[in-house]
Structure formats: structure tokens, C-alpha cells
Amino acid sequence: MIRSLALAAVAALSLSGCALLSSPDPVQLYRFGDAGGALTTSVAALVQVKLRALEMPQAAQGDRLLGVTGSQAAYIGGARWVSPALMLYSDALEASFASQARAVRLIGRRELTPTTRLLDIDVRVFETRYAYAEGTPTVMITARARLLRFPERTVVSEQTFTVSQPAGQNRVSAIVEAYDVATRDVNAQIVAWTDANAATN
């Protein structure tokens, strides 16, 4: 009897150990932002603009996709960004400048090139919005851009950009595609705005 109870206890412990050590549900990794391309204009003819460290709400800047329904917020299950969203967005912005800018050259975060202009980007909204639970969401991105003179740090120009990109359906792959489109759209607007203001002010 004692032996059978001991065996039962060992079996129970073995089963509970399996439950504790079982693999978590798989998580699919995603990215957004295009690869960009090389500048086609002579670097010497471009206004050098230094990109300052970007800002993004803490809830959105990590590797999880933020979903918002009314006043409720939650992360979308089963999916993560391959890197923190803030890093992916910074890379996408630099790539957009590299392939699209015609009047300016963006000096990246790791460069030490002298400059007379600073670009300050505050991404205030970066989220998946649902009008109602289980509905088809819309990706929202709002970014405030400020162009500053350096070293004075006076504001040359300032503008807020907002992009609303509906997802094709309420599926992670469709939501990620909407992030990719929205990111390209808002970045193209920021590049064009910087081109227009850096060279004339």
C-alpha cells in the first residue's frame, strides 16, 4: 500500500513537472519598414541633418503589437516584432531618407558628422485601433517633427503628421501589412517636409 502511494506520488510529480516545463504557445515574429536605397544626389550638395533619438509611448515602443479598443488597451497575442518597434521605426525612417531625400542627408544615430540642423521626431501614436472587439482594425501613427537650428536649438519648422491605415482583415498578417504601409506613408511625408524646410530656412 505504501509502495503504491509512493509510486502514485512520483507519477503525479512527473506529470506536474511536464506541465511546468511544457513549451509556450509559438509566437510569430514580424517586421515593418522598407530597406530603402542609395542616395542619387551628391552628398556635398546636401544639407546635413542630424537625427536625434526618437521618442515613442512606452506601451508601444517594445516588441509587442499594441491594440486599443475605446479606453481599453491590450497586446495582440501570438505576435511580436522581431526587434523593438522604436528601433524598427528608426531604421525605417533612416532608410526612407536614404532613398527619397533630395535636399538633405540624414546623419544617423551612430554618425558624428558636423551639422547645422537637428531633426526631432516624437512618435505620439503607434497602435492598432479597434472600433469594437473582433472588428477589423486600423493602424494609427502620429508623429510630431521639429527641425531645429544647431547649435542655437531654435525651431525652424514644426509639423504633426497622422496616418490612418485600415487593415484588410482582423488577422495579424494583415495588421502587420497595415503597419508597413502606414510607416512608409508617414516617413515619406516627413522626408518631403524636411527637404522643403531644411534647405530654405
Side-chain angles (χ1 to χ4, degrees):
M1 179 67 176
I2 293 175
R3 186 178 177 213
S4 61
L5 287 174
L7 289 174
V10 169
L13 285 172
S14 298
L15 289 174
S16 64
C18 290
L20 290 174
L21 297 176
S22 63
S23 300
D25 293 336
V27 174
Q28 183 65 45
L29 298 179
Y30 296 91
R31 60 175 296 119
F32 60 85
D34 50 22
L39 281 168
T40 58
T41 308
S42 170
V43 172
L46 302 176
V47 177
Q48 308 291 309
V49 177
K50 175 70 175 179
L51 179 64
R52 300 177 70 183
L54 273 66
E55 296 182 14
M56 184 179 284
Q58 185 174 358
Q61 66 181 236
D63 64 353
R64 293 183 290 181
L65 284 69
L66 179 63
V68 176
T69 307
S71 60
Q72 298 182 341
Y75 292 109
I76 297 173
R80 291 180 184 262
W81 299 122
V82 69
S83 300
L86 181 59
M87 184 181 299
L88 288 176
Y89 181 81
S90 296
D91 290 343
L93 182 61
E94 290 188 32
S96 294
F97 270 94
S99 62
Q100 299 170 28
R102 293 297 174 261
V104 305
R105 175 179 178 268
L106 192 70
I107 302 172
R109 294 158 288 170
R110 302 173 186 89
E111 294 185 65
L112 299 176
T113 306
T115 181
T116 59
R117 295 289 185 271
L118 299 175
L119 181 60
D120 182 52
I121 304 292
D122 178 10
V123 181
R124 296 183 167 183
V125 176
F126 195 83
E127 62 194 30
T128 314
R129 288 190 182 174
Y130 291 83
Y132 56 90
E134 305 303 324
T136 301
T138 296
V139 168
M140 297 289 299
I141 301 178
T142 296
R144 186 193 70 165
R146 293 194 309 155
L147 192 61
L148 309 171
R149 289 186 185 87
F150 185 78
E152 300 93 336
R153 297 184 186 271
T154 55
V155 178
V156 173
S157 186
E158 180 176 346
Q159 187 165 328
T160 298
F161 303 89
T162 297
V163 170
S164 172
Q165 178 62 44
Q169 52 187 317
N170 188 24
R171 296 175 60 88
V172 173
S173 59
I175 293 170
V176 170
E177 183 179 355
Y179 271 103
D180 198 46
V181 173
T183 299
R184 289 200 304 267
D185 188 352
V186 74
N187 285 349
Q189 294 183 50
I190 292 172
V191 171
W193 171 82
T194 307
D195 259 347
N197 287 278
T200 59
N201 291 282

